[in-house]
Amino acid sequence: MKLAYPHMGNLNVGLRALFSRLGLEIVEPPPISRRTLEIGVRHSPEYACLPFKVNLGNFIEAFEKGADTIVVAGGRGPCRFGYYGQTQSEILKSLGYKFRCITVETAEKSNSQFYLGVQALANGRGRWQVISAIYFAWRKLQACDEAEREACRIRPVEVKRGDANRVYQESIRLIERAKTVFELRQARALIRRKFAAIPVDASSKPLKIGIIGEIYFIIEPWVNLRIQERLGEMGVQVQRTVYLSDWVMDHIFLGAIGINPGRHYRHDALPYLSTEIGGHAMETLGKAAAWGKAGWDGLIQLAPFTCMPELVSKSLLGKVSEDHGIPVLSLFLDEQAGEAGLQTRLEAFVDLIQRRKRKLGRASKSKPAPAAREEKHARLSGS
């Protein structure tokens, strides 16, 4: 078995650790590139969303390197993600590829289907060996997420531009090299020291913007055109709704024992969306409302063009914006998206937030203006 999987942020770091511990041969596709996208677009239905096309390109490039087995995640609800594996398999078979497709469902959807998927990848290992491998992979994802959070915190206030990016890349290499939990613990301690040593401007007060939306677009920097870095360089501190290690904890570890993964955000989302519609719509609205209540400066919604759950979320974010006085920029992207256009829209949004803060700061010295009315005509959105 020569195993391949699609790229999504630092997911490959965790999956490499998992499958290596299970003794499986890995054929990782090349990093996502323009060629990956072109291959995926060429063989995908026109209406398919961008993650579908990029993932398909990943698989074809992995087959070119000798892979004979692909791993895909299952899904639930109306979101089309649940059909990715089957649809992509049919396309790949029609292109003449001979392979095995293993679908791993999330535990909160079906414990039995989740364990069947894991068993297909266990390679004869016992239960505790599999659990140990999953735990080690999760710890690696947790370390990657910690490094990413630190980079986002420091990037807008660093004295020398590029220090946070440099330390972040060094951090991922240290995490990848760790072979045991003890080595990983040492690597994390070293990473913290490296970030702490970066000179920062203590007087700087960066804007705080939350990234909400669809998981693939939030996590994969190639498709979101490195939006976290761009915002950091504009003096913005970024936090996002989804991190890989948190998703694994909620949907696999806690989901396996029946704990609802939506407990973090469902309460805040209920005034706007009362029922689950698939994808990350409930999380998008819940986090948007929570960050609005907490006084964050703005929100950016990221999603693939035609994504149904996020289109529903977009239609409701206007109400969230009015209720909590927080500007929202909605970005729905496809393969035609360009860096110049994104940069222009981000700069305009950041400028809007800065002007709003100055205006509200002046108003607070006299009579506070209703935040909802301030934002009624300032909200930016697009598709």
Side-chain angles (χ1 to χ4, degrees):
M1 184 189 303
K2 296 181 179 180
L3 202 63
Y5 41 79
H7 284 294
M8 184 173 72
N10 291 313
L11 178 63
N12 63 318
V13 177
L15 291 183
R16 257 202 316 267
L18 170 63
F19 297 141
S20 295
R21 285 207 163 195
L22 296 178
L24 296 166
E25 184 177 351
I26 301 166
V27 180
E28 190 170 286
I32 300 172
S33 65
R34 177 55 58 177
R35 179 178 186 268
T36 309
L37 179 59
E38 289 173 352
I39 293 172
V41 169
R42 187 184 313 139
H43 299 296
S44 298
E46 185 179 356
Y47 58 82
C49 60
L50 187 57
F52 181 101
K53 295 170 182 175
V54 175
N55 287 175
L56 187 66
N58 287 154
F59 290 138
I60 291 175
E61 289 187 312
F63 289 147
E64 292 173 351
K65 294 176 64 176
D68 58 23
T69 305
I70 60 174
V71 179
V72 299
R76 62 189 179 91
C79 175
R80 290 175 294 181
F81 179 75
Y83 303 102
Y84 272 23
Q86 183 63 37
T87 307
Q88 289 169 338
S89 291
E90 292 302 319
I91 292 171
L92 293 169
K93 288 175 184 175
S94 72
L95 295 174
Y97 294 107
K98 298 185 184 302
F99 61 96
R100 180 186 181 193
C101 178
I102 299 174
T103 302
V104 180
E105 300 287 353
T106 55
E108 95 275 4
K109 175 183 177 181
S110 168
N111 267 327
S112 60
Q113 290 183 4
F114 170 71
Y115 289 121
L116 282 173
V118 171
Q119 187 177 24
L121 296 166
N123 197 28
R125 299 307 199 262
R127 176 181 298 180
W128 292 111
Q129 287 176 299
V130 173
I131 291 173
S132 174
I134 293 174
Y135 175 74
F136 184 58
W138 172 70
R139 290 295 298 270
K140 283 210 170 190
L141 292 178
Q142 195 177 46
C144 289
D145 289 343
E146 183 180 273
E148 194 161 8
R149 284 185 170 102
E150 278 297 285
C152 287
R153 183 181 66 84
I154 291 173
R155 198 176 281 124
V157 296
E158 62 188 358
V159 173
K160 182 182 177 184
R161 183 65 64 206
D163 276 353
N165 288 346
R166 173 181 54 78
V167 172
Y168 173 68
Q169 295 301 328
E170 291 173 2
S171 300
I172 300 303
R173 289 193 290 271
L174 286 169
I175 294 165
E176 288 181 311
R177 288 201 293 267
K179 302 299 182 186
T180 65
V181 172
F182 177 72
E183 288 182 6
L184 184 58
R185 192 178 301 122
Q186 289 182 313
R188 292 178 76 170
L190 177 57
I191 289 166
R192 293 187 191 110
R193 292 197 296 271
K194 283 178 174 286
F195 275 114
I198 296 176
V200 298
D201 179 2
S203 65
S204 178
K205 295 181 179 180
L207 298 174
K208 294 178 68 176
I209 290 180
I211 304 292
I212 56 179
E214 193 268 339
I215 183 171
Y216 187 84
F217 260 76
I218 290 177
I219 290 176
E220 176 49 55
W222 197 90
V223 298
N224 67 36
L225 303 177
R226 300 178 299 104
I227 193 169
Q228 290 184 164
E229 290 183 33
R230 292 176 187 275
L231 289 168
E233 290 166 0
M234 295 179 198
V236 174
Q237 195 171 89
V238 175
Q239 187 170 325
R240 62 188 204 224
T241 54
V242 185
Y243 290 87
L244 279 168
S245 59
D246 295 339
W247 189 93
V248 170
M249 172 60 74
D250 283 345
H251 294 265
I252 295 181
F253 296 151
L254 297 181
I257 57 176
I259 296 179
N260 184 353
R263 67 195 185 284
H264 302 306
Y265 46 82
R266 188 174 297 275
H267 174 75
D268 291 309
L270 284 177
Y272 309 99
L273 186 66
S274 59
T275 186
E276 181 65 65
I277 62 170
H280 296 269
M282 191 73 77
E283 190 166 4
T284 292
L285 292 163
K287 288 287 189 178
W291 285 339
K293 292 175 187 176
W296 283 50
D297 298 307
L299 300 168
I300 297 178
Q301 181 192 19
L302 289 176
F305 189 65
T306 74
C307 176
M308 185 277 289
E310 292 303 321
L311 284 169
V312 174
S313 299
K314 178 187 173 184
S315 70
L316 298 170
L317 282 171
K319 178 61 174 169
V320 177
S321 178
E322 289 185 8
D323 288 350
H324 302 291
I326 185 166
V328 180
L329 170 65
S330 293
L331 297 171
F332 283 71
L333 308 176
D334 61 11
E335 60 269 22
Q336 306 299 328
E339 296 191 17
L342 177 68
Q343 185 73 17
T344 300
R345 298 183 72 183
L346 292 179
E347 289 173 355
F349 187 61
V350 170
D351 182 62
L352 178 148
I353 293 173
Q354 289 171 335
R355 286 189 286 108
R356 173 183 181 272
K357 287 197 74 173
R358 288 194 294 268
K359 185 176 181 180
L360 292 178
R362 289 193 298 269
S364 66
K365 296 176 183 178
S366 54
K367 183 179 179 181
R373 191 170 68 240
E374 289 291 318
E375 292 308 319
K376 186 172 183 180
H377 300 294
R379 184 175 176 269
L380 300 179
S381 63
S383 59

